Amino acid sequence: MRTSYGFHLNESIPERLYVMESIGWGEAVDGSYGQDGMKRPGSGYLFQYTLFGEGAITVGGATYKVPKNHGFFVSIPSEHRYFYPPDGRKPWEFIWIRALGGAMSDYWQHFIRSFGHVASFRDDSEPIRLMWSMYHDAAEQGFRDKFRMSLRLFEWLLAFERIAEGLDRGSQPMPDSLQLAKRFMERHVGTPVSLDDIAAAAGISKHHFCKVFKMYTGVTPIHYLRKIRVEEAAGLLRNTGLAVEAISRQTGFDNVSYFGKVFRQYIGVSPTDYRKGLTNVYENRHLQIVD
């Protein structure tokens, strides 16, 4: 489920340690979404990566598109604004980290010199895999140890550094077996398929497939399948007059009540409300205490 996690520090933390201010997975669907870098409270360094759709950012006197598999580096506060584009037709889905401390300023300046404010990173690259890993850690157990948090952020920064220095060209490509599995799920978005079917398409055992798929994508195969089904359903809700029940069947859900439950988990509103245009960025901030 898309959500965000903020971290409140209940003690003074040495400046040499890295601190995660927030991490989240969100979505924007219309022009009401936008952030002005001079008006946001606090300070820090933000990296936001597009998972689906496209966003835009104005920084350094220029406006850039931020399509799928691209992310942007900005500091807060600074002169920038990122937003849902006026000509946007699809939801803009993204994951972000906002952090500070340590040598963040030096790293950020180096990354912007090396990559530019907006850069392309494969979804199976090490920095993106580490972002998902930290997101799931925040969801499952939080970061209640300031040293562990600092270590994870430093590892993430070094993953970008390896790419900047030419030591890693965006991580090893996703294995062919997983590419086959993803294509199989995308082709069968509207038909019932089991985990056994997907693993068979990948040509590897179910246990190994589940382990490797999550390692490369950050989510389970079933989560990925539900996600692409919900994306397909959202498109049909926006662009057709099909009844909700028909859309649920067409996107692989044989029970309209279950379809509504899953759709709400991913999008934040019911299919009917989404069609009416009531949806917005789905946020549910969880405050965690870091010792």
Side-chain angles (χ1 to χ4, degrees):
M1 182 175 66
R2 283 189 295 274
T3 188
S4 60
Y5 300 90
F7 299 89
H8 173 70
L9 310 180
N10 65 356
E11 65 173 75
S12 176
I13 291 186
E15 291 184 1
R16 63 182 178 274
L17 294 184
Y18 296 96
V19 176
M20 187 183 301
E21 191 272 342
S22 65
I23 186 168
W25 174 15
E27 182 185 72
V29 298
D30 58 37
S32 65
Y33 176 81
Q35 296 287 356
D36 187 323
M38 294 302 293
K39 295 180 179 179
R40 303 194 69 180
S43 62
Y45 301 88
L46 172 73
F47 177 74
Q48 184 159 306
Y49 179 79
T50 298
L51 305 169
F52 178 79
E54 182 177 272
I57 183 169
T58 298
V59 60
T63 298
Y64 305 91
K65 293 181 178 180
V66 191
K68 182 178 179 180
N69 296 344
H70 287 66
F72 60 79
F73 299 88
V74 292
S75 59
I76 299 170
S78 70
E79 293 282 354
H80 69 267
R81 180 176 179 270
Y82 53 97
F83 52 93
Y84 185 84
D87 58 349
R89 292 181 175 83
K90 297 179 179 179
W92 178 25
E93 184 181 351
F94 45 80
I95 185 172
W96 81 86
I97 288 182
R98 179 172 166 177
L100 65 160
M104 286 289 298
S105 176
D106 292 339
Y107 275 114
W108 235 237
Q109 291 176 35
H110 175 53
F111 296 159
I112 291 170
R113 286 195 302 268
S114 300
F115 304 126
H117 280 287
V118 178
S120 172
F121 299 97
R122 291 202 305 268
D123 59 4
D124 61 339
S125 66
E126 188 68 8
I128 307 308
R129 287 201 288 143
L130 288 171
M131 285 183 76
W132 279 118
S133 177
M134 287 187 281
Y135 176 84
H136 289 298
D137 280 354
E140 293 169 7
Q141 58 194 28
F143 288 100
R144 301 185 182 278
D145 181 331
K146 58 181 176 285
F147 299 106
R148 181 170 177 268
M149 174 189 280
S150 183
L151 181 62
R152 296 299 301 279
L153 286 169
F154 185 50
E155 181 184 17
W156 178 62
L157 292 170
L158 290 182
F160 280 123
E161 178 74 0
R162 286 182 60 83
I163 297 174
E165 295 299 318
L167 300 175
D168 187 336
R169 296 298 180 183
S171 187
Q172 295 298 314
M174 183 177 288
D176 290 344
S177 59
L178 299 191
Q179 296 283 9
L180 287 170
K182 288 180 74 174
R183 286 196 291 270
F184 176 83
M185 286 187 275
E186 288 159 5
R187 287 197 307 269
H188 292 82
V189 69
T191 55
V193 293
S194 68
L195 192 53
D196 289 318
D197 295 329
I198 302 168
I204 54 180
S205 73
K206 182 169 69 174
H207 175 76
H208 182 61
F209 167 66
C210 291
K211 180 179 178 181
V212 175
F213 190 92
K214 185 168 184 179
M215 181 178 72
Y216 274 87
T217 67
V219 296
T220 66
I222 295 303
H223 181 108
Y224 179 80
L225 180 59
R226 287 176 185 156
K227 174 179 174 293
I228 61 176
R229 283 177 167 169
V230 168
E231 288 171 354
E232 179 71 13
L236 292 172
L237 287 164
R238 289 193 307 271
N239 302 316
T240 76
L242 288 172
V244 171
E245 186 172 358
I247 290 174
S248 72
R249 291 195 302 269
Q250 195 165 320
T251 52
F253 296 93
D254 56 6
N255 182 299
V256 70
S257 296
Y258 179 64
F259 165 64
K261 178 181 178 181
V262 173
F263 192 93
R264 183 181 287 274
Q265 285 177 341
Y266 280 77
I267 303 297
V269 295
S270 71
T272 301
D273 284 346
Y274 181 84
R275 172 169 270 169
K276 290 177 181 177
L278 300 179
T279 187
N280 205 327
V281 179
Y282 181 57
E283 293 185 326
N284 178 21
R285 293 187 63 83
H286 296 267
L287 187 65
Q288 299 181 358
I289 306 298
V290 180
D291 293 322

